[in-house]
Amino acid sequence: MTSLSAPVPPVPAEVRPASVAWLRASVSRFSNGPDHARRRALAVSALAGVDVEALRHKAFEAARRAIGDGGDVMAVVARPVPVAVLAGELGLAVRPPDVVTVAAAYHPHVVPDAAAEAALGRLLAACGGIGEPAAARIGLLVQACDATAGLIGNALMVAFRGPGAAVAETLRSNPPVLRTRRRIGGSDVFVELAGTPFGAGPRECPGARHAIALATGVLQALDGFRLTDPEPAWVPSPNLRMPSALWVTRDRTGGRFC
Ligand code: HEM
């Protein structure tokens, strides 16, 4: 068994219904055994109905509209646009800022605040109400949020230094998700994802093709922009590597990505 096939650290099952703790206790990401298999199947089947070429095209259009003549790509494009496009294709009428708020409170080492609990309440109402199907839908949006934003931010850092296959190169040399947690020999340990940017085995990311399509569409929309701050700050996180803000402006000289 590779380390990535080991179980994930369990989360508490006795939780307040419809809370962020309930979401953790109801999604595949933090479940093991038959619960994991059943919940993962809900996520995989929802993604199977999504046309990835439509994701790329709609991410392009939405990113063009959102960036206007410039701004912080992470705040106005990289987090909200993939979530909005994916939600649209899944047929879910959610507010992207609610997904961003819940994503920041999703992992078990974070204590959710009142804003995160309220945002989850609205997401649940939009996703069919309390139950595993709604948890799976919200889980997809939340899983897509930071990881795809990181893929876009890191790829842009490459793209702004010269055009090329920025998404593929970023996944190889500067992936946004570095490590994940497992319970091995009774201890909770970090397992490195080196060489497998989307994980491996029974928990491998089911959204890899979707994420690449969304990131590619957003990057295509940012062709013709340049970075105004070449040394961005990085998100302080043990497992994510991505810029916290990425300010850009439309390049009037017509340059491509540099
Ligand atoms: C459309 C965007 C995305 C969606 C819908 C999505 C969805 C998911 C879901 C539902 C899981 C849990 C799978 C399970 O419990 O069996 C997962 C796991 C994972 N995702 Fe994604 N994801 C997206 C983007 C990304 C990106 C951009 C990366 C990084 C490059 C990424 C890396 C991972 C990894 C490494 C895991 C496995 C975590 C582990 O084994 O502990 N995902 N994803």
Side-chain angles (χ1 to χ4, degrees), residues 85-233:
V85 171
L86 183 60
E89 294 304 289
L90 290 169
L92 302 171
V94 302
R95 292 175 61 239
D98 284 342
V99 179
V100 174
T101 301
V102 172
Y106 180 61
H107 284 277
H109 56 279
V110 180
V111 179
D113 60 11
E117 299 292 1
L120 179 62
R122 290 188 291 273
L123 291 180
L124 263 175
C127 292
I130 192 162
E132 285 190 356
R137 293 178 189 124
I138 298 169
L140 285 174
L141 299 177
V142 165
Q143 291 277 155
C145 186
D146 281 336
T148 308
L151 179 57
I152 290 167
N154 294 356
L156 272 174
M157 296 295 291
V158 176
F160 282 131
R161 295 194 175 118
V167 170
E169 166 60 20
T170 297
L171 287 171
R172 196 183 57 74
S173 63
N174 189 20
V177 183
L178 301 176
R179 48 188 74 92
T180 184
R181 287 183 178 80
R182 290 291 185 266
R183 176 156 292 193
I184 298 179
S187 305
D188 294 352
V189 295
F190 271 122
V191 176
E192 302 296 323
L193 290 164
T196 65
F198 288 103
R203 295 178 177 274
E204 169 178 312
C205 178
R209 288 183 317 117
H210 306 75
I212 290 172
L214 289 163
T216 302
V218 169
L219 287 189
Q220 286 169 338
L222 291 166
D223 195 1
F225 283 73
R226 65 179 168 77
L227 268 185
T228 52
D229 173 10
E231 295 298 335

Side-chain angles (χ1 to χ4, degrees), residues 51-109:
D51 174 352
V52 291
E53 181 50 27
L55 287 181
R56 189 200 59 73
H57 177 70
K58 290 184 179 175
F60 173 85
E61 299 288 344
R64 275 267 174 215
R65 281 194 301 276
I67 195 64
D69 280 338
D72 174 6
V73 176
M74 301 310 291
V76 301
V77 178
R79 283 193 177 83
V81 164
V83 162
V85 171
L86 183 60
E89 294 304 289
L90 290 169
L92 302 171
V94 302
R95 292 175 61 239
D98 284 342
V99 179
V100 174
T101 301
V102 172
Y106 180 61
H107 284 277
H109 56 279

